[in-house]
Amino acid sequence: MYKIKIIDNPNCTFCQKEDETIEHLFWNCEIVQIFLNETKHWFLSNGISIPFNIQNCIFGDISKAFSRNVTNLIFLHIRHYIFSCKYFKRRLTLFGVQKKIQDLYCIEKHIAVRNKKLEIFDEMWNNFTILFDS
């Protein structure tokens, strides 16, 4: 059974400065922006350019919503990481999101091997393997 949590403070869990709306939590919060910039620079330092914009950070790439798109999977896991940190009152860290994305990669690869679809997996994740092969 779920307990209903009564919100006694509408302020953002991370910055405590503004109301915690979806847009604020996943994009406008200054703490989240620092975290997203660190994450973006991690990708860029590995030669991967992903558009970190408000649409992708909140909704993902809507034009690819009905396809197996790694970028959308990554943004989904970034949002889940932000929400988990909010819920458990933890700090957002680059290491934490790197671990979450690495776990996603390993799970997807395990499923592909089990289903004998490693070739499809390799094609989908081709641009991102540099993040995990080191």
Side-chain angles (χ1 to χ4, degrees):
M1 184 116 215
Y2 292 100
K3 290 185 180 182
I4 297 175
K5 183 178 177 184
I6 297 175
I7 301 172
D8 55 350
N9 182 356
N11 288 347
C12 173
T13 304
F14 299 117
C15 72
Q16 294 293 313
K17 293 181 180 178
E18 295 186 38
D19 286 351
E20 190 172 86
T21 63
I22 297 293
E23 187 174 333
H24 180 81
L25 179 64
F26 294 116
W27 182 255
N28 290 331
C29 175
E30 62 190 37
I31 306 296
V32 171
Q33 271 298 307
I34 291 167
F35 163 74
L36 290 173
N37 282 328
E38 289 174 347
T39 305
K40 177 182 177 181
H41 288 295
W42 171 53
F43 284 107
L44 286 173
S45 69
N46 285 287
I48 301 168
S49 179
I50 296 179
F52 275 75
N53 56 45
I54 189 169
Q55 178 184 328
N56 285 348
C57 287
I58 294 177
F59 301 110
D61 185 345
I62 296 171
S63 69
K64 297 176 181 165
F66 298 105
S67 65
R68 294 267 308 150
N69 179 272
V70 172
T71 304
N72 277 344
L73 282 173
I74 288 172
F75 277 115
L76 177 65
H77 280 72
I78 290 171
R79 285 190 301 277
H80 183 263
Y81 177 73
I82 292 169
F83 186 81
S84 294
C85 287
K86 165 202 161 27
Y87 185 81
F88 292 110
K89 299 188 183 338
R90 294 185 182 140
R91 241 179 81 238
L92 295 167
T93 65
L94 179 59
F95 177 78
V97 79
Q98 286 171 330
K99 175 78 171 106
K100 185 155 191 64
I101 293 169
Q102 183 177 26
D103 289 349
L104 168 65
Y105 176 81
C106 291
I107 290 167
E108 289 277 314
K109 187 171 188 174
H110 175 79
I111 292 168
V113 168
R114 187 185 68 206
N115 292 335
K116 297 180 174 116
K117 295 187 178 190
L118 192 55
E119 189 174 302
I120 294 169
F121 168 85
D122 287 339
E123 185 179 316
M124 281 178 48
W125 282 89
N126 183 45
N127 295 332
F128 298 90
T129 56
I130 192 168
L131 299 173
F132 315 108
D133 291 341
S134 57

